[in-house]
Amino acid sequence: MSIFSVGPLKEKQIKEKMEVLNIREEDIEESFIRSGGKGGQHVNKTSTCVYLKHVPTGIEVKCQEERSQALNRYRARVLLVKKIDQMIKGKESEEQQRIEKIRRQKRKRSKRAKEKMLAEKKIISEKKKLRSHIFKNNET
C-alpha cells in the first residue's frame, strides 16, 4: 500500500529521483504542524501541514496545499527534491530550464524581428482584402 496516497507510479518516481540525488529518508527530519487557512474544521483538528528538513544540506520545506496529510507528505518530498536538484545542478536543473524558457518566451522581440513579423501580417491582410473584394463583386 502507498504511504503517500498517490499512485504507485508517482511514488516510484519520487523514490527514484531521491535515489539519483542521493537523498535518503534517514536524512530527512519530518514533523507535522496544524494547518491554518481554508479547510474548515477538518484542518483545525488534524496536523496536515508537513515540515521537512534535509539535514545534510539544511534545506527546509513546508507544505499545506492539501487537506490530506499523506498527500502533503508526497508534495513536500517533491518540493524538497526540486530544491536539492536546483542546488546541485544549478543551471542544468529542470526547474531552472523551465524558468529560463518562460523568460525567453516573455522577452520583447528585437526591432528587426518585430518589423519582419509586421511585414508578413501586412501581406496577409492585403491578400484578405483582395479576396473579400472579389467575393463582393461575384455576389452582385
Side-chain angles (χ1 to χ4, degrees):
M1 188 180 150
S2 169
I3 59 170
F4 299 127
S5 78
V6 292
L9 180 68
K10 282 188 175 183
E11 192 169 327
K12 183 181 172 193
Q13 286 174 341
I14 192 69
K15 285 182 178 178
E16 285 173 359
K17 280 184 182 179
M18 286 172 73
E19 270 183 44
V20 168
L21 293 172
N22 201 20
I23 304 168
R24 299 179 319 176
E25 282 292 331
E26 303 89 59
D27 294 338
I28 298 173
E29 286 180 7
E30 183 174 42
S31 57
F32 306 101
I33 310 161
R34 273 213 187 124
S35 300
K38 297 177 198 166
Q41 202 172 22
H42 176 75
V43 162
N44 298 331
K45 283 182 178 178
T46 59
S47 299
T48 53
C49 180
V50 177
Y51 169 81
L52 297 179
K53 181 177 182 178
H54 187 243
V55 178
T57 58
I59 293 176
E60 299 174 353
V61 171
K62 190 175 179 183
C63 181
Q64 64 177 36
E65 294 171 22
E66 303 292 333
R67 285 178 63 184
S68 155
Q69 188 184 76
L71 264 178
N72 282 333
R73 287 182 73 202
Y74 169 75
R75 293 207 172 189
R77 278 169 176 72
V78 170
L79 286 172
L80 185 71
V81 166
K82 279 184 182 178
K83 280 190 171 188
I84 292 174
D85 181 47
Q86 197 167 359
M87 186 189 82
I88 293 171
K89 294 183 180 175
K91 287 275 186 195
E92 294 91 49
S93 76
E94 290 176 24
E95 185 69 13
Q96 199 64 37
Q97 286 177 346
R98 187 185 67 79
I99 291 167
E100 279 295 312
K101 182 180 178 185
I102 291 169
R103 193 179 63 75
R104 283 194 305 271
Q105 287 172 345
K106 287 185 175 181
R107 84 172 164 223
K108 278 186 164 180
R109 286 191 173 98
S110 68
K111 218 173 198 177
R112 187 174 173 196
K114 193 172 181 181
E115 287 171 359
K116 187 178 177 184
M117 184 260 310
L118 289 173
E120 288 172 12
K121 277 179 109 175
K122 183 128 177 115
I123 291 168
I124 291 168
S125 92
E126 292 297 324
K127 282 183 188 176
K128 285 186 174 183
K129 280 181 190 173
L130 289 172
R131 273 190 230 134
S132 66
H133 183 65
I134 293 169
F135 182 69
K136 286 178 184 173
N137 286 343
N138 288 343
E139 267 184 4
T140 55

